[in-house]
Amino acid sequence: MKFARKPRPPSALQLAMDTGNPALIEAVEQSRKLLHRKALTAALASATPIPGLDMAVDAALLSRLIPQISTNFGLSDDQIARLSPAKRDKVQNTVNMLGGVLIGKLITKDVILRAAKALGMRLTAQQASKYVPIAGQAVAAALGYATLRYLGEQHLRDCVRVAHEAGIVLPIGYARD
């Protein structure tokens, strides 16, 4: 008996390409480079055999990464506050409709930890694997990398959808239509 797999959601890059907006594509590419570097740092922290260190590092990395990604899309809390009231309402309505829970919000470590708890099983396996010498640390590093990449990619998809639907003009430095 075969089980049907849930189809994977489109990646942030696929969503950006579907819009045909070169500025969105460039914002995704730049954000992914940043995400990759932060995920490597998370993997290194996860490989250390000190329980709890990786969670603290992940929270610190995400509390900086999420606002940086939002800024690339013109969706940081400061950028949204500078929009006209009509445009700000459109962004807020789009966020509410599409469910971008971290867009335009002040990101704290508590908010990040709550988001990470959605991946509870993966994080529990990551912590448990630290007690298995060498192979366990490799598994913990891989899970640390994957966890940060997953959360970052999810935020990237939210940013692409909101920026496109709300008609956000991306910050200077990104390609224009």
Side-chain angles (χ1 to χ4, degrees), residues 66-126:
I66 298 297
Q68 288 172 318
I69 289 173
S70 294
T71 299
N72 287 348
F73 289 89
L75 295 170
S76 71
D77 54 340
D78 291 338
Q79 290 167 316
I80 291 172
R82 289 192 301 258
L83 294 173
S84 69
K87 190 69 151 181
R88 195 175 24 226
D89 287 344
K90 185 169 185 172
V91 168
Q92 193 56 51
N93 288 338
T94 305
V95 167
N96 291 339
M97 183 178 70
L98 297 176
V101 295
L102 298 177
I103 294 173
K105 305 269 190 299
L106 181 62
I107 304 299
T108 64
K109 287 181 183 171
D110 186 48
V111 170
I112 296 300
L113 287 174
R114 275 189 269 135
K117 283 185 182 176
L119 301 172
M121 193 61 171
R122 185 180 291 177
L123 295 174
T124 301
Q126 182 180 356

Side-chain angles (χ1 to χ4, degrees), residues 105-156:
K105 305 269 190 299
L106 181 62
I107 304 299
T108 64
K109 287 181 183 171
D110 186 48
V111 170
I112 296 300
L113 287 174
R114 275 189 269 135
K117 283 185 182 176
L119 301 172
M121 193 61 171
R122 185 180 291 177
L123 295 174
T124 301
Q126 182 180 356
Q127 290 299 313
S129 67
K130 287 182 180 250
Y131 296 105
V132 178
I134 301 172
Q137 289 159 337
V139 168
L143 287 171
Y145 181 87
T147 299
L148 201 78
R149 281 298 300 249
Y150 175 82
L151 291 171
E153 181 69 22
Q154 193 171 23
H155 184 63
L156 270 170

